[in-house]
Amino acid sequence: MSDHHDHEHGGHDHDSGGGHSGHSHGVSADADRRWLTIALVLISVFMLAEVVVGVAANSLALISDAAHMLTDVASIVLALVAMRLAARPAKGHFTYGLKRVEILSAQANGLTLLLLSVWLAYEAVRRLVSPPEVTGGLVLVTALVGVAVNLVATWCISRANRTSLNVEGTYQHILTDLFGFIATAVAGAVVLTTGFARADAIASLFVVVLMLKAGYGLVRDSGRIFLEAAPAGIDPDAVGDRLAAQDTVVEVHDLHVWTITSGQSALSAHVLVEPGGDCHAVRRGLQKMLLEDYRISHATLQVDHLGEDAPDLLQITSAADDDRDGHCDDAHGPVHRPGPHDH
């Protein structure tokens, strides 16, 4: 069996499998892994030191930062594993390969941010009510070192390909940590200069807000991909109208637009052309338009002459029904037809 699947299914001569193109990012996968590994080493070493200092200083802000850094470590490890799996060629039952493992990684990163934020919010509120003694000097020095470490780690991950939701999930983890250390440094300075111990818990709540924001974004974006929603910025109805407006195209239906993995959108549709029209030329023209205007490189179009297999494929309402309902649907979704001024 071949290690790569590029399926083209056709019932007759006019069925045309879409063009499949390789996905390139401008940053190699090896470079991505190298930058993430550097960030992993930096964060792991500092996290261990921060736990010791946080316990000694009795600082929830430092301990919460260390806990967040533990999720950073987990997110980077998960991202590296996902990259390895996603790079495997498509074979067997996985006709797209394991590309969506990266989306699973991003979703896991988002969920850990959300879950950890709940625990930190509880602890922060508890300490606001009954603030413990906090060693401001230790907090300030450790937080400043943390800012430096996270600046380097953030820069490393920013050098990787952030169009990947997997890498973006890791980046959001580290970036949130950077802002958290800045807040902790401010809290340490306040405790050191004024003795206001609640500043430590307030800094933790600031980190919680950032974690909630980043976690929600990752869960939302990964969820859209798993639910086969159209890629952000692409309106399927508008795409269908554009396809139907091309020369000799009579109708477009059974249109689906989804995301395989980050930066790799896909489309499939059934296109009917005028009798005598060049189906292959129409297909090539439509695929070129989809690539140039929508960056959809994986487009599978079944192109037929009007009337071929129509009784089996279409359920078209009458003109009176169209006028009454305001639209015309077939069994698979909206039917797109050229408007009066499209040709």
Side-chain angles (χ1 to χ4, degrees), residues 29-335:
D30 287 339
D32 284 350
R33 285 192 287 267
R34 182 171 65 251
W35 288 117
L36 263 65
T37 300
I38 294 172
L40 175 63
V41 173
L42 283 172
I43 290 172
S44 298
V45 171
F46 183 76
M47 178 193 68
L48 295 175
E50 189 180 22
V51 170
V52 175
V53 177
V55 172
N58 198 24
S59 169
L60 176 63
L62 284 182
I63 294 173
S64 65
D65 281 333
H68 189 198
M69 292 191 87
L70 179 60
T71 68
D72 293 343
V73 170
S75 72
I76 296 175
V77 171
L78 191 61
L80 290 169
V81 172
M83 284 180 180
R84 290 287 184 184
L85 292 175
R88 293 183 178 180
K91 62 181 179 180
H93 295 287
F94 298 96
T95 57
Y96 281 124
L98 297 174
K99 296 182 184 298
R100 281 200 176 168
V101 172
E102 292 190 326
I103 309 304
L104 277 173
S105 171
Q107 190 167 69
N109 281 331
L111 288 172
T112 56
L113 282 171
L114 293 176
L115 293 173
L116 188 58
S117 68
V118 173
W119 175 75
L120 291 179
Y122 168 78
E123 285 295 322
V125 170
R126 189 172 66 85
R127 289 199 171 204
L128 276 176
V129 174
S130 179
E133 290 293 326
V134 177
T135 307
L138 276 176
V139 173
L140 177 60
V141 172
T142 307
L144 289 175
V145 176
V147 169
V149 170
N150 274 267
L151 276 173
V152 176
T154 302
W155 179 81
C156 288
I157 296 179
S158 71
R159 301 286 294 174
N161 171 40
R162 285 182 55 204
T163 61
S164 164
L165 195 59
N166 179 39
V167 174
E168 179 65 14
T170 302
Y171 179 79
Q172 288 298 329
H173 261 274
I174 307 302
L175 187 63
T176 303
D177 223 15
L178 172 60
F179 290 140
F181 272 114
I182 294 173
T184 302
V186 172
V190 170
V191 173
L192 183 63
T193 57
T194 69
F196 182 61
R198 285 185 173 88
D200 185 73
I202 293 172
S204 297
L205 287 175
F206 175 76
V207 177
V208 165
V209 172
L210 296 175
M211 292 170 68
L212 286 172
K213 181 177 181 295
Y216 170 75
L218 289 170
V219 171
R220 178 198 61 206
D221 293 344
S222 60
R224 283 180 57 85
I225 292 176
F226 284 128
L227 292 174
E228 304 286 0
I234 294 182
D235 180 356
D237 287 335
V239 173
D241 291 341
R242 284 284 308 278
L243 294 174
Q246 304 305 303
D247 289 341
T248 74
V249 174
V250 177
E251 181 176 294
V252 176
H253 70 279
D254 202 7
L255 172 67
H256 301 280
V257 190
W258 69 99
T259 301
I260 298 171
T261 189
S262 300
Q264 191 170 358
S265 301
L267 177 146
S268 66
H270 186 205
V271 181
L272 296 180
V273 302
E274 296 173 352
D278 188 338
C279 290
H280 298 296
V282 168
R283 174 179 58 81
R284 288 191 295 267
L286 295 180
Q287 288 176 337
K288 181 180 179 183
M289 183 266 287
L290 290 169
L291 179 60
E292 293 178 351
D293 295 353
Y294 298 98
R295 300 182 66 183
I296 299 177
S297 59
H298 190 115
T300 303
L301 302 174
Q302 178 182 337
V303 185
D304 298 308
H305 286 124
L306 181 64
E308 294 182 1
D309 299 329
D312 295 328
L313 292 171
L314 299 178
Q315 295 179 3
I316 303 174
T317 61
S318 66
D321 289 335
D322 290 351
D323 292 338
R324 182 172 61 252
D325 296 337
H327 65 279
C328 179
D329 291 346
D330 68 355
H332 304 285
V335 175

